[in-house]
Amino acid sequence: MKIDILTLFPEMFDALNYSIIKRGMENNLFEINVINIRDFSKDVHKKCDDYPYGGGAGMVMMAQPIVDAFRSVNTENAKVIYTSPKGKKFNQSLSKDLAKEEHLIILCGHYEGVDERALEILNADEISIGDYVLTGGELPAMVIIDSLVRNIKGVINENSLQEESFSNGMLEYPQYTRPEVFENKKVPDVLLSGHHKNIQIWREEQSKIITKKRRPDLLGE
């Protein structure tokens, strides 16, 4: 899988060069490229934004640098997404779908947004990571990438993926590790029993309890 990121702030994506994402790239399971939109500006000062037509606060990203940056990496099978609070809500199901794409192009908005004509030319799907507004689309892009690459075969053990939150429509059960007792808090006895069937039953029960308490909407309540 190839992921191309179009952004005004490429340095922010240095955060992807760590941990599981770094190992995935080193093992050639996917490729991430960061494209600086400013490199495609035709303005002598590399300006990429201007005042909005019709008035209003803030600045709007110009179409020309975005479109030229897009065309420099576009392929016939590319899927384009734009990180935007106006987009459809990102979730685990969408993450798995995006992980199946051969080529993904992510446009990171900034300021008051992007000239609508650029989005039309890119035929971009708008995706939001939540009902709130951030200063730019770089952090949402990293969230989306971090989530979807975990669903690429070979990046993470498949058994781990099957037991995570949302994998079966519920939140994950509690996890414990050594020591058995920490500040008078003991690991549940069932996890120390070695009885795999009872452990599985306990985990399923705990998953239901946590989901009902924290996200009853997942249970249709």
Side-chain angles (χ1 to χ4, degrees), residues 109-156:
H110 223 84
Y111 311 122
E112 289 301 312
V114 169
D115 189 310
E116 190 68 21
R117 293 167 295 184
L119 300 180
E120 293 172 358
I121 293 171
L122 271 59
N123 192 26
D125 287 339
E126 298 190 34
I127 295 179
S128 167
I129 63 168
D131 295 337
Y132 47 86
V133 179
L134 300 173
T135 56
E138 284 75 18
L139 291 176
M142 283 187 267
V143 168
I144 291 170
I145 292 169
D146 188 283
S147 175
L148 74 87
V149 298
R150 302 173 81 261
N151 294 300
I152 296 175
K153 187 174 181 180
V155 175
I156 287 182

Side-chain angles (χ1 to χ4, degrees), residues 182-200:
F182 177 71
E183 294 191 358
N184 296 321
K185 294 182 180 293
K186 190 177 184 299
V187 174
D189 291 335
V190 65
L191 299 180
L192 305 175
S193 68
H195 197 298
H196 298 295
K197 183 177 181 179
N198 287 347
I199 291 173
Q200 184 62 31

Side-chain angles (χ1 to χ4, degrees), residues 166 169 171 210-221:
F166 308 111
L171 303 182
I210 291 173
T211 304
K212 185 172 183 178
K213 180 179 179 181
R214 301 179 186 176
R215 289 292 304 276
D217 57 296
L218 296 176
L219 300 175
E221 299 180 0

Side-chain angles (χ1 to χ4, degrees), residues 10-54:
E11 298 84 1
M12 293 183 67
F13 291 92
D14 290 346
L16 297 179
N17 296 318
Y18 297 92
S19 188
I20 293 172
I21 297 179
K22 180 181 179 181
R23 291 200 298 271
M25 288 190 286
E26 290 176 342
N27 293 328
N28 297 315
L29 298 176
F30 54 88
E31 173 187 347
I32 298 177
N33 303 301
V34 183
I35 294 88
N36 190 343
I37 296 173
R38 295 185 192 279
D39 291 342
F40 296 85
S41 173
K42 294 181 179 180
D43 179 79
V44 65
H45 301 296
K46 298 300 180 181
K47 182 179 180 181
C48 292
D49 61 291
D50 210 331
Y51 294 103
Y53 278 121

